[in-house]
Amino acid sequence: MAAAFTLAPGSAAAQEKKAVEAVPERAGAYPAPARNGEGVGPFRKMVIRGVTLIDGSGAPPRGPVDIVIENNVIADIKPAGTPGLPLKEGREPRDFDYELDATGMFMTPGFIDMHVHGSSADKAPDLSYSYKLWLAHGVTTVRGVDLAPFEISLSERARSARNEIVAPRIFVYQRPGQGNGWTGGRANTPKKVREWIRWAAKQGIDGIKISANEDQPPEVLVAITDEAKKLNLGTVAHISQVGVARMSALEFGRAGLGTVTHYYGHFESMLKNGAIQNWPVDYNYMDEQDRFGNVANLAAESAEPGSEQWWDYLKEQKANNVTFDPTMTIYVAGRDLMRLRNADWHDKYTMPQLWQFYQSSRVNHGSYFFDWTTEIEVKWKNFYHKFMRLLNDYKTIGGRVTTGSDSGFIYQPYGFGYIQELELLQEAGFNPSQVITAATLNGALTLYEPKGQPVPPIGTVRVGKLADLVILKENPLQNLKTLYGTGALRLNEQTQQLERVGGVSYTVKDGIVYDAKKLLADVADMVRAEKRRMGMPEEGLPHP
């Protein structure tokens, strides 16, 4: 593993580095500490006053309105005045326990990150690091695929539901065969995988993460989707290169898959020269620069945008109700490594362990920039152009696209990576309102439909919905960059000085109001504390 900085032998930092190197690819995770004064509420009755509402349904913004919340449920949305005129004085209700003045601010539903892994033991002291970064960026619901080891994931979901910890709402998707209580061995046959699914459903999981790996040939994959539907469990597939030749995204859709995550399987469904990609003769899947560097070759090997094969693929996936969760953000370093490595947020908010994990390594998953070249970046730029066209065309014909980040890898810290996914959807051709709908309602529908709940309790700001909300000073439709915790730079015309504006002001989850800036300050304190413990300077990070 290439060291990013020099450590004195025997120092605390050297011992920390040794520990990080020893952690396997799927490291364990430490539960979050109990909630300790963070956030206020829920209240018998809370009123958020004078806000402009972007409700997540695709409706245009409207306001000013007052949002009345009783406990953790939206009870009313009331006009607060006329745009351009002073707000009405003495507006009802007056019997509130808590009032938040959001005059001139904007509100959206809480964001939903459909592809997360929590901060594992090789990246941060505990799961609160990822939780607080998510909440600080308005993410009130996450789908863990997996969030953490089986038992910890279920425990953290329950603790979050009881609001005992500072954390988003958690959906638990696990991989076949996981769980300390499972005694049936490898779930690598249709019979075994069905047994595991029935066992895992009794433990309370929400869905299944599928990999199409060596334990999952087509007959096992079909059994997974079939058994999951019988038990009202969701399914999401990262269709690995190991299995995609025998089970492409199109074939998964025919088998009843819920979500295709990442880019895997789409272009393999419409290769010009048959079902098998044209691998270089010296390709080795276990060499991650080979694995990820050659993905971009699919742009040249697959059907052209707008062709009959292209539209046939998209129309059939829509007919099969397949959701696309692209997670463009997690691979975007492939087209501009230097930009991601030097992003604004790393020095203050990236844990030193996580920073070390990012550095080029033969051991750590996703740390594959062994010799990243201009040629590779150009291929990735071309690949993204085609992938974005695919997503936008799918959205245009009514296919569902959601937002997921897969943060914690490839120079993407939690929360920040999620906001970049929203920007990338706009780059793909989604208008800002469509981006917000993808980030809210589309995710909610995808999470709750498998459970037999076609009308989800989250995802829009409507009467009767749970109070999961994002409140901002800046209009996110005008500039999605203002959603980043580090904000966006803007010239102050009065002072002629650059200022940072934006960032989420408040995140409301289950009727509890969190100061998003305070959550970010907590994370910055956590990062400084870890740097001190490891014998590193508190400011900045070491660069190779």
Side-chain angles (χ1 to χ4, degrees):
M1 179 176 182
F5 49 92
T6 302
L7 302 172
S11 68
Q15 293 300 313
E16 180 68 26
K17 179 174 180 290
K18 182 178 179 182
V20 169
E21 287 184 332
V23 174
E25 179 180 328
R26 286 290 168 191
Y30 295 106
R35 182 176 160 215
N36 184 25
E38 298 102 330
V40 293
F43 299 96
R44 178 192 63 85
K45 184 174 286 186
M46 171 172 68
V47 186
I48 300 171
R49 299 284 191 188
V51 75
T52 297
L53 176 62
I54 304 164
D55 72 10
S57 71
R62 64 186 189 274
V65 296
D66 293 341
I67 311 294
V68 183
I69 298 166
E70 296 181 1
N71 295 310
N72 66 340
V73 176
I74 298 168
D76 206 353
I77 301 173
K78 302 169 70 69
T82 301
L85 296 177
L87 298 179
K88 298 175 184 176
E89 297 290 337
R91 303 189 302 277
E92 295 292 337
R94 306 307 307 169
D95 61 336
F96 53 81
D97 299 309
Y98 187 81
E99 183 178 45
L100 178 62
D101 183 5
T103 303
M105 299 177 78
F106 297 84
M107 175 187 287
T108 73
F111 299 137
I112 301 173
D113 193 330
M114 294 291 285
H115 189 128
V116 309
H117 306 281
S119 44
S120 49
D122 53 347
K123 298 175 181 177
D126 59 61
L127 284 161
S128 70
Y129 174 65
S130 49
Y131 294 164
K132 288 190 173 183
L133 280 173
W134 284 322
L135 285 169
H137 287 88
V139 175
T140 56
T141 298
V142 297
R143 176 168 67 178
V145 290
D146 51 12
L147 176 83
F150 192 98
E151 288 76 17
I152 293 175
S153 295
L154 290 171
S155 174
E156 292 291 276
R157 183 187 64 185
R159 296 174 73 211
S160 174
R162 296 191 296 266
N163 292 307
E164 296 172 357
I165 55 177
V166 180
R169 195 178 308 279
I170 295 168
F171 282 71
V172 174
Y173 280 50
Q174 299 292 142
R175 303 161 192 259
Q178 288 183 325
N180 292 334
W182 168 249
T183 58
R186 293 177 71 162
N188 60 351
T189 67
K191 180 176 183 294
K192 280 287 186 184
V193 81
R194 288 180 188 274
E195 290 174 357
W196 178 85
I197 292 170
R198 290 192 288 268
W199 172 84
K202 289 178 181 177
Q203 312 311 306
I205 69 167
D206 298 294
I208 300 162
K209 168 72 175 293
I210 305 168
S211 300
N213 60 22
E214 58 274 9
D215 274 354
Q216 296 176 0
E219 64 272 17
V220 171
L221 298 172
V222 171
I224 292 171
T225 56
D226 178 64
E227 196 68 26
K229 281 198 168 186
K230 290 177 181 177
L231 297 175
N232 292 328
L233 298 175
T235 50
V236 54
H238 165 157
I239 311 170
S240 76
Q241 288 98 329
V242 171
V244 71
R246 297 194 65 198
M247 195 79 168
S248 69
L250 184 60
E251 290 160 325
F252 257 114
R254 291 167 179 165
L257 176 70
T259 300
V260 175
T261 194
H262 304 315
Y263 46 73
Y264 304 104
H266 292 303
F267 297 109
E268 293 92 336
S269 299
M270 43 184 170
L271 290 172
K272 297 174 184 175
N273 193 33
I276 300 173
Q277 187 178 346
N278 185 25
W279 309 112
V281 293
D282 59 349
Y283 180 96
N284 186 341
Y285 176 78
M286 300 284 287
D287 181 318
E288 288 208 339
Q289 179 154 315
D290 263 2
R291 173 181 168 186
F292 293 104
N294 282 282
V295 164
N297 295 346
L298 288 166
E301 294 184 42
S302 54
E304 297 304 319
S307 66
E308 184 178 358
Q309 191 176 4
W310 177 275
W311 286 115
D312 285 348
Y313 171 71
L314 293 176
K315 290 174 182 177
E316 185 167 350
Q317 292 291 61
K318 180 180 181 293
N320 289 325
N321 298 312
V322 177
T323 294
F324 291 2
D325 186 48
T327 70
M328 289 181 284
T329 182
I330 196 57
Y331 299 112
V332 77
R335 67 178 192 171
D336 193 347
L337 175 59
M338 189 184 300
R339 176 178 180 268
L340 268 291
R341 193 173 59 221
N342 293 284
D344 287 356
W345 38 82
H346 286 311
D347 284 351
K348 190 171 183 178
Y349 299 110
T350 298
M351 278 285 175
Q353 301 98 312
L354 181 56
W355 182 250
Q356 180 62 23
F357 188 96
Y358 290 151
Q359 306 310 310
S360 298
S361 162
R362 293 285 181 180
V363 177
N364 295 336
H365 174 53
S367 303
Y368 50 79
F369 300 100
F370 310 143
D371 186 15
W372 208 247
T373 66
T374 302
E375 180 184 12
I376 297 173
E377 288 198 349
V378 169
K379 285 197 299 184
W380 269 94
K381 285 180 172 73
N382 292 333
F383 176 75
Y384 262 72
H385 180 77
K386 191 168 187 176
F387 188 28
M388 287 176 169
R389 171 71 183 272
L390 185 87
L391 298 170
N392 196 51
D393 283 351
Y394 196 54
K395 173 266 296 177
T396 300
I397 65 170
R400 184 183 299 161
V401 179
T402 56
T403 51
S405 70
D406 198 13
S407 295
F409 302 92
I410 319 178
Y411 294 102
Q412 290 289 15
Y414 312 94
F416 293 98
Y418 181 80
I419 301 306
Q420 186 170 58
E421 183 73 1
L422 308 189
E423 285 197 280
L424 289 165
L425 280 183
Q426 185 169 358
E427 182 182 342
F430 290 54
N431 67 45
S433 294
Q434 290 168 337
V435 172
I436 297 299
T437 297
T440 56
L441 176 59
N442 286 4
L445 290 167
T446 303
L447 290 172
Y448 282 94
E449 281 175 351
K451 296 175 173 292
Q453 295 178 250
V455 181
I458 59 174
T460 53
V461 183
R462 294 286 174 90
V463 172
K465 301 292 186 181
L466 295 175
D468 286 8
L469 310 166
V470 186
I471 304 171
L472 315 107
K473 289 183 179 178
E474 298 286 328
N475 180 358
L477 302 180
Q478 187 270 330
N479 186 4
L480 292 169
K481 289 185 185 299
T482 59
L483 289 167
Y484 286 114
T486 45
L489 287 171
R490 181 182 296 160
L491 183 69
N492 184 313
E493 294 293 354
Q494 280 68 50
T495 66
Q496 288 297 295
Q497 300 295 313
L498 280 174
E499 296 177 345
R500 284 201 176 270
V501 299
V504 173
S505 295
Y506 302 100
T507 300
V508 184
K509 180 252 181 175
D510 252 347
I512 297 173
V513 182
Y514 291 100
D515 183 329
K517 309 287 191 191
K518 178 63 169 62
L519 293 178
L520 279 174
D522 290 348
V523 171
D525 288 344
M526 292 165 62
V527 170
R528 282 192 293 268
E530 280 300 288
K531 289 176 178 176
R532 286 195 300 271
R533 186 182 69 81
M534 296 173 66
M536 297 170 57
E538 289 188 20
E539 302 302 323
L541 286 164
H543 284 259

